Amino acid sequence: MQMRFVIFDIVQSSSHEYIVNRLNPSFLNKRINKQNMASTGLLVISNFKQTPQTLKAIEKYVHSLYVHINVPGSATPVPSWGRFISQLYVDGATLLTSCEKLNMNILVGPLKQQGTFDSLRLKPIDMIFSDARCTEVCEQLRQQLQIEKPPIYLADDVVVTDLCEHQQSKPLDKLQVYENVVLGGTFDRIHLGHKIFLTQAVLRACRRLVVGVTTQKMTKSKILNELILPVEQRISELREFLQEIDSTLHYEIVPIDDPYGPTNSDPNMDMIVVSSETLRGGEKINEIRAKNNLKLLDIYCIDLVENSDRKGPKESKISSSNARIDLLGTRLRQPEYHKNLPSEIYIIGLTGNIASGKSKMTQRFQSLGATVMDCDKIAHEIYEPGQVCYDKIIQHFGRSILDNGRIDRPKLGTIVFSNPKELERLNDIVWPELLKEVKRRIQGLPIIPGEIKIVILEAAVLLKAGWDKEVHEVWSMLVPLDEAIRRVVARNNLTETAARDRLASQLTNKELVARSHVVFSSQWEPEFTQKQAEKAWNMLKEELQQKQLQTKHNL
């Protein structure tokens, strides 16, 4: 069976020796003041060589940026702009360092419609920027998008364009467009690599684009898979991105439970877009289609985009896995306000399953300045003879759990971790008394006027006991199940079956993430876990300082 290929090479970050000094920063500062600050901008690009300096000039004035490529009037194959767009995305990611969250989307629809803007479906735009004095295009965009402010021309004397020099010059058969194009992926938190991948498909589709989005069934083996967004949310964000860059296509975005999705049955498909990593998958799809007497697909392959940030355990390519690693130690959601909690003490509930690294993380926060309380150690104390839980536990579980008059926790553990009802009974005895003791100790902490004391409350039972309302926020430790089992077997000298039983009685990582404000993972080198701790600590300290300043300002 013969395969048909079109191979596309992604341009890597350049050193930008082509930067010209035509743009003067003071020129832009005069044009844009605080009254003209834009949250969403549209940049009209006519000069590729000028683009790095243009992007640097406007980055601090926008949080979100659409880019329109002001193509010269002559009709050219739309896919010929693929290399330029990919380079522009890479340049944008490399240059826009002062605003990490700036979202840049490059418009494809106007390229297909020869510069008309009737089909644009964009978020409200505050301001238009242009690197050349192309007044007719800018005014047309301004009227179409109903923008009140006049365009900002970054260089009044620039009227020429160099875009034709940077078109992708390939034989016309390699710039072919197709009625029906298909591609697939996880598409978790759309990033630079996704945008390039999707844009190359959009450029080559003239009627329909089918996108398969993997469900949880296919993402279980991925790094930090518990942080992957729900498939419904990924589909929604994907649809929004595609509609923004080109609303002229018909999009079919479907969840898929296997690597093939609709490609093994849909006869109306012409071309599939793959990466160099998934090329074999594209070939396999054609093998299946041949067996099913379906037309073979042309395969268009793009190279992976290299990742310049190789810190810690990150992959060498730009990927969603790297994006999820970056989430560790950051805030996933804002804490809820609990009026029952003290304002002079800020309580972090640090939780996680057995062998997830809670105790070592607690030590890290203690070295950074936190006051720590270990609920497991406090529970040990209230198990002691004469303490509040001792008689109740013996009364229910019998004296066989004693060793020299003290409760033998391993013996007790053998009973409760193999019997959910017995575990529930033990929790009913211990948890209320443990919470009372924790509250008593927190109330007894010394307070320095004008300062907020940070308390790390290490509690494996935090969420199951419903104590999330007793802390200002929940921070959780995650490790993959297989790693947790390995650690429990080695540390507790248990069989694998016993280790699985203990973990089965605890929350899943997915459940932990759903109820946490910050998460960490100790599955890599200790140095990387330390960096996660420092990131979260510095974030919290800065937030609490801002809160104190705001309180003083309001007095």
Side-chain angles (χ1 to χ4, degrees), residues 23 43 47 50-59 131 154:
L23 283 177
L43 173 62
N47 295 279
Q50 211 166 269
T51 299
Q53 194 170 354
T54 300
L55 291 173
K56 290 296 291 182
I58 68 172
E59 66 170 327
D131 66 357
L154 302 174

Side-chain angles (χ1 to χ4, degrees), residues 517-530:
H517 302 94
V518 177
V519 297
F520 311 96
S521 182
S522 63
Q523 62 182 292
W524 297 289
E525 295 299 320
E527 293 79 11
F528 186 66
T529 313
Q530 176 68 28

Side-chain angles (χ1 to χ4, degrees), residues 331 335-336 338 340-350 370-373 375 435 438-439 441-443 445 447 452-459 462 467-475 517 540 544 547:
R331 197 176 295 294
E336 305 80 12
H338 300 304
N340 61 304
L341 298 177
S343 58
E344 67 278 5
I345 299 176
Y346 198 85
I347 309 169
I348 302 290
L350 180 63
T371 298
V372 303
M373 290 189 182
C375 285
L435 180 59
V438 167
K439 285 184 173 182
R441 295 189 184 195
I442 290 176
Q443 289 170 359
L445 291 173
I447 302 299
I452 298 177
K453 182 182 289 291
I454 300 175
V455 174
I456 300 292
L457 182 66
E458 181 190 338
L462 185 87
W467 295 356
D468 44 337
K469 293 182 175 58
E470 305 295 338
V471 297
H472 290 87
E473 53 184 295
V474 177
W475 292 5
H517 302 94
L540 180 61
L544 293 180
K547 181 181 177 181

